[in-house]
Amino acid sequence: MTTRTLAVVSAGLSVPSSTRLLADRLTTATVAALRERGEDATVEVVELREHARDVADAFVTGFSNAALRAAVETVTGADALIAVTPVFTASYSGLFKSFVDVLEKDALTGKPVLLAATAGTARHSLVLEHAMRPLFSYLRAVTVPTAVFAASEDWAGGDGTSAELSGRITRAAGELADVVTGRPASARPADPFADVPSFEQLLRGEA
């Protein structure tokens, strides 16, 4: 059985957040869909709120620190990506966009991506098609047809989700699993700094 790596980016700012809740539901459904297709999955979650200062520092210094590099490598090295953001002022959050701006321009080329967003009311759902999908199309990612939006009212079902939201989650997860299983597993990119000696080694003349 092939093991796939699934990266999950959640841009929620509170703990807990509806954004992370939606990300978890999508992750569970995608893992189940992959297993139905004979594939196993390893899940790696990137909580952007934990990297907010790292992202800001990267903008002003031009360099990503170790924690942010690890988050970026999680996303770029995965077989597929689930990207979930809250809606702020009729678009994705600034933190979400800033993290995407840290990525190399070709980092997501050909990457299967499931798009999702959360907001207080359903009137914000067009963000998925008017903001998120164009962003990932520009990055040449492969976005699955079904994007998932969850408003506050969608969490009112007996299991915590409405029947309509559950159906969208299942459909989107199945589409992502179909794309992933149709291609070979990704290999982690080599660390270009793996063989660079540390400062202490340089001082000891060990380089």
Side-chain angles (χ1 to χ4, degrees):
M1 179 181 290
T2 303
T3 299
R4 305 288 185 160
T5 302
L6 181 64
V8 182
V9 171
S10 171
L13 298 181
S14 60
V15 180
S17 69
S18 59
T19 301
R20 177 58 189 270
L21 179 58
L22 179 57
D24 289 344
R25 295 294 173 86
L26 289 166
T27 300
T28 299
T30 302
V31 170
L34 285 169
R35 286 176 177 164
E36 288 174 358
R37 291 157 177 78
E39 307 272 347
D40 204 354
T42 298
V43 177
E44 298 181 354
V45 179
V46 176
E47 275 281 6
L48 293 188
R49 67 182 302 276
E50 298 174 359
H51 298 284
R53 292 188 178 182
D54 300 332
V55 171
D57 287 344
F59 272 98
V60 298
T61 65
F63 297 96
S64 299
N65 62 21
L68 184 56
R69 285 201 306 272
V72 168
E73 289 168 3
T74 293
V75 171
T76 58
D79 291 294
L81 171 65
I82 296 175
V84 192
T85 178
V87 176
F88 292 155
T89 319
S91 188
Y92 33 66
S93 73
L95 178 58
F96 181 85
K97 180 57 164 58
S98 295
F99 178 75
V100 172
D101 287 340
V102 170
L103 303 177
E104 296 292 335
K105 63 183 181 68
D106 297 323
L108 298 183
T109 298
K111 181 82 64 186
V113 180
L114 193 167
L115 305 175
T118 60
T121 63
R123 65 191 178 94
H124 296 292
S125 61
L126 289 177
V127 164
L128 289 166
E129 303 302 330
H130 288 192
M132 291 190 75
R133 199 178 296 278
L135 172 64
F136 283 88
S137 294
Y138 173 80
L139 297 170
R140 297 192 294 276
V142 179
T143 56
V144 299
T146 301
V148 180
F149 179 84
S152 298
E153 62 194 37
D154 288 315
W155 303 109
D159 64 345
T161 58
S162 67
E164 184 178 354
L165 176 58
S166 295
R168 292 198 301 268
I169 289 173
T170 300
R171 183 168 65 251
E175 291 171 355
L176 185 62
D178 284 340
V179 176
V180 171
T181 55
R183 55 180 62 195
S186 296
R188 287 287 185 177
D191 183 356
F193 302 104
D195 297 325
V196 176
S198 67
F199 185 67
E200 290 78 8
Q201 288 175 313
L202 290 173
L203 288 177
R204 293 195 299 266
E206 298 176 2

